């Protein structure tokens, strides 16, 4: 296993074998084996939203973990130049070629089941906490069509936060985005059960602060930030993420009210 002195806080593993694509994901994630003996769901920087999806996955997942949610371990995954050359599928081969270097992986939860909102009910406080999280990080991808929730060992697990942080796809008016409601919360799969949003807000505001946010933001690899050429220095990019999250936390009543208003239209 490759050690990672540059990015403390996450392990780095070498990808050894591409097992199979997971085609239910639009960005062609894949199941792969690594040199630590474990299997991971790989998210590739050569896919769709490129490094920005990896940044969102990293920040969203680690914020969720800090808040106490079950989230598969995130690791940096390294693909060397030779990896994937024997892959027969040209689309996958192009994806792997465009993803050489540092990517992101989620520990594979073997035999996990996709959460079925029609068959299972989530505790109202837990539902409220998940809705709060997704409104906070502006995650559009936790809907009835695609819940991004798994049941593993009889517990609910959160996956796939790559569609979060909508502001970073344009970087314009990020301050406005930070203090705005999140209208797309109306489509959230757990919104009907989220009756305790004020309780969730109180708990999470006590757990999050600027120092905690800064620690998580510092995990973002420099090369991922600079790849989009939105900023000239990686620290400038990290500072925007830090300020966005800090301002959003300080104004959480805005997106909490938005979620409450959206829920009122459902009942």
């Amino acid at each position: 296993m490759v050690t990672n002195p540059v990015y403390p806080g996450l392990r780095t593993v070498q990808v050894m074998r591409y097992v199979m694509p997971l085609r239910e994901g639009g960005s062609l994630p894949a199941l792969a084996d690594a040199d630590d003996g474990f299997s991971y769901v790989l998210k590739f920087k050569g896919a769709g939203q490129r490094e920005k999806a990896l940044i969102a996955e990293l920040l969203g997942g680690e914020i969720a973990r800090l808040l106490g949610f079950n989230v598969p371990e995130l690791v940096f995954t390294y693909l060397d130049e030779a990896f994937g050359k024997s892959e027969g599928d040209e689309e996958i081969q192009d994806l792997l070629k465009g993803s050489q270097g540092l990517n992101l992986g989620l520990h594979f939860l073997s035999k996990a089941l996709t959460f079925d909102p029609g068959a299972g009910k989530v505790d109202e406080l837990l539902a409220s906490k998940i809705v709060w999280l997704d409104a906070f990080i502006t995650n559009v991808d936790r809907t009835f069509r695609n819940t991004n929730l798994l049941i593993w060992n009889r517990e609910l697990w959160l996956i796939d936060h790559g569609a979060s942080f909508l502001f970073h796809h344009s970087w314009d008016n990020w301050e406005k985005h930070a203090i705005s409601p999140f209208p797309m919360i109306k489509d959230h799969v757990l919104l009907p059960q989220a009756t305790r949003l004020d309780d969730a807000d109180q708990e999470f505001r006590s757990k999050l602060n600027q120092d905690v946010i800064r620690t998580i933001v510092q995990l973002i690899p420099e090369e991922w930030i600079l790849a989009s050429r939105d900023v000239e220095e990686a620290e400038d990019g990290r500072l925007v993420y830090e300020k966005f999250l800090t301002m959003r936390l300080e104004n959480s009543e805005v997106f909490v009210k938005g979620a409450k208003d959206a829920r009122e239209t459902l009942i």
Side-chain angles (χ1 to χ4, degrees):
M1 183 178 66
V2 180
T3 57
N4 185 12
V6 180
Y7 308 119
L10 290 189
R11 296 187 300 117
T12 300
V13 299
Q14 182 94 17
V15 180
M16 304 301 292
R17 186 171 74 96
Y18 184 99
V19 178
M20 64 177 184
L22 302 173
R23 294 195 180 271
E24 59 270 17
S27 58
L28 285 182
L31 181 64
D33 295 334
D35 62 346
D36 62 350
F38 292 107
S39 297
Y40 295 91
V41 175
L42 261 60
K43 303 298 182 77
F44 297 104
K45 66 181 179 182
Q49 300 296 335
R50 298 193 60 84
E51 287 86 354
K52 288 184 178 180
L54 303 190
I55 291 172
E57 188 78 63
L58 173 61
L59 293 180
E62 290 307 302
I63 289 170
R65 191 188 319 282
L66 181 139
L67 292 176
F69 294 107
N70 293 320
V71 182
E73 181 191 8
L74 292 171
V75 297
F76 292 122
T77 56
Y78 188 81
L79 274 64
D80 64 30
E81 294 182 4
F83 189 82
K85 286 187 176 180
S86 61
E87 173 59 47
D89 186 308
E90 290 188 7
E91 183 182 14
I92 294 175
Q93 190 175 105
D94 289 343
L95 175 66
L96 298 178
K97 184 183 296 184
S99 301
Q100 292 172 2
L102 200 65
N103 297 271
L104 193 69
L106 290 82
H107 192 95
F108 178 61
L109 303 181
S110 179
K111 300 182 180 179
L113 301 174
T114 299
F115 172 73
D116 181 354
K121 185 173 176 60
V122 177
D123 171 81
E124 291 180 349
L125 180 57
L126 178 56
S128 300
K129 289 179 176 181
I130 296 173
V131 169
W132 189 99
L133 167 71
D134 289 329
F136 177 53
I137 63 175
T138 64
N139 179 23
V140 302
D141 204 8
R142 188 112 56 207
T143 65
F144 281 89
R145 194 177 81 170
N146 188 28
T147 65
N148 282 323
L149 296 168
L150 298 178
I151 301 296
W152 191 64
N153 288 345
R154 300 183 180 182
E155 293 184 312
L156 196 68
W157 289 70
L158 279 59
I159 60 169
D160 289 350
H161 299 94
S164 307
F165 297 93
L166 298 181
F167 83 88
H168 72 176
H169 295 293
S170 67
W171 288 80
D172 293 330
N173 297 321
W174 66 263
E175 296 97 335
K176 180 180 178 181
H177 285 283
I179 59 174
S180 296
F182 183 51
M184 282 173 278
I185 204 67
K186 65 181 176 58
D187 299 319
H188 199 286
V189 64
L190 297 180
L191 184 61
Q193 295 153 250
T195 63
R196 300 181 61 182
L197 286 163
D198 287 332
D199 293 333
D201 185 51
Q202 182 177 359
E203 177 178 336
F204 288 166
R205 284 177 65 95
S206 71
K207 289 184 175 181
L208 286 170
N209 56 55
Q210 186 172 7
D211 290 338
V212 168
I213 289 170
R214 181 180 299 121
T215 298
I216 294 174
V217 167
Q218 287 298 315
L219 293 171
I220 307 173
E222 177 177 323
E223 63 191 74
W224 290 359
I225 296 178
L226 297 181
S228 63
R229 301 182 180 179
D230 293 312
V231 293
E232 294 185 2
E233 299 290 338
E235 276 307 311
D236 294 338
R238 292 192 184 104
L239 187 58
V240 171
Y241 284 108
E242 179 185 328
K243 287 184 175 180
F244 171 85
L245 287 165
T246 301
M247 288 178 63
R248 195 150 183 79
L249 179 66
E250 291 171 347
N251 294 274
S252 64
E253 70 277 0
V254 174
F255 65 78
V256 168
K257 182 180 184 303
K260 286 181 178 179
D261 292 345
R263 186 175 178 277
E264 284 295 320
T265 67
L266 302 177
I267 56 178

